[in-house]
């Protein structure tokens, strides 16, 4: 099913859909009670008819479901073909490209924080056997390499770059490669204010323009989530990247 129209205050908009079968569901239309009633109706239809007709229903969230938002949602219930599933997938926001350099504890935590978010993750590592075996979903691409800076030079324009290798020298080469291009959507470097100052001085000596150096994000992550545990850093970075992605469309 999918939301075809909304009126007033509602949990989700017309980009939301829910796929239901006899065993469970995937996706969400939001709204707790609304979703529960929609799943019950869809499963009843599946149990009663092998090929039920298209059914459109309007749910006033306050009067009929006791939800405080008070608006109304129109839902379209219909059996799905493979083409329908492809069309529903097309409603999802496109994944933004994130190039993550390094496979230490923080990098691993960031990958797992980003997995359910609309990003395509390219995970770059120069050390043998440091990239985990997975399995990973298709939107995680592993890049074992001997030259991380070369991967940065070959990344697509507009990509986000997160630099956190085991080596400050490798970090610098990657950041220099990203800023020299001048077309990155985001260039983040893990580290302290002292590391930033050191990199700024060295980048300027290599001829990188001041405005490009100023665009480097270091330290990374939103400041409202302080803490140095990998999981905390991962949440702060994921929130920052999500904000970047939504505002850069």
């Amino acid at each position: 099913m999918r939301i075809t129209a909304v009126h007033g205050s509602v949990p989700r908009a017309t980009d939301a859909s829910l796929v239901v079968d006899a065993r469970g569901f995937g996706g969400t239309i939001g709204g707790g009670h609304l979703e529960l009633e929609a799943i019950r109706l869809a499963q009843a239809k599946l149990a009663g008819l092998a090929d039920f007709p298209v059914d459109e229903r309007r749910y006033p969230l306050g009067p009929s479901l006791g939800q405080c938002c008070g608006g109304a949602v129109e839902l379209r219930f219909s059996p799905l073909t493979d083409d329908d599933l492809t069309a529903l997938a097309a409603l999802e926001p496109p994944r933004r490209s994130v190039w993550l350099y390094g496979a230490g504890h923080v990098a691993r935590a960031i990958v797992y924080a980003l997995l359910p978010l609309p990003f395509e993750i390219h995970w770059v590592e120069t050390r043998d056997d440091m990239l985990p075996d997975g399995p990973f979903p298709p939107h995680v691409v592993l890049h074992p390499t001997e030259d991380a800076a070369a991967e940065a030079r070959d990344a697509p324009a507009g990509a986000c770059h997160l630099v956190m290798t085991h080596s400050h020298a490798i970090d610098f080469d990657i950041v220099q490669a990203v800023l020299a291009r001048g077309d990155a959507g985001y260039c983040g470097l893990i580290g302290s204010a002292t590391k930033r100052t050191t990199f700024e001085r060295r980048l300027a000596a290599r001829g990188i323009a001041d405005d490009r150096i100023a665009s480097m994000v270091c330290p990374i992550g939103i400041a409202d989530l302080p803490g140095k545990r990998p999981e905390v850093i991962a949440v702060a970075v994921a929130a920052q990247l999500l904000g970047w992605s939504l505002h850069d469309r």
Side-chain angles (χ1 to χ4, degrees), residues 30 35 44 91 103 108 112 132 147 168 184 209:
E35 191 162 87
L91 294 175
R108 293 181 183 225
Y112 288 105
D147 189 347
H168 282 205

Side-chain angles (χ1 to χ4, degrees), residues 38-114:
I39 292 170
R40 285 177 176 171
L41 177 58
Q43 289 182 330
K45 288 176 173 293
L46 290 169
L49 292 172
D51 185 19
F52 63 80
V54 172
D55 184 5
E56 298 195 7
R57 300 200 178 195
R58 178 185 172 98
Y59 289 87
L61 301 184
S64 65
L65 298 176
Q67 295 189 204
C68 297
C69 19
V73 173
E74 295 181 28
L75 293 180
R76 179 183 178 91
F77 295 80
S78 59
L80 295 179
T81 65
D82 290 343
D83 289 342
D84 293 325
L85 290 172
T86 300
L88 286 176
L91 294 175
E92 294 296 320
R95 295 186 182 276
R96 304 299 298 270
S97 180
V98 173
W99 289 70
L100 176 62
Y101 305 87
H105 295 300
V106 174
R108 293 181 183 225
I110 288 174
V111 167
Y112 288 105
L114 295 181

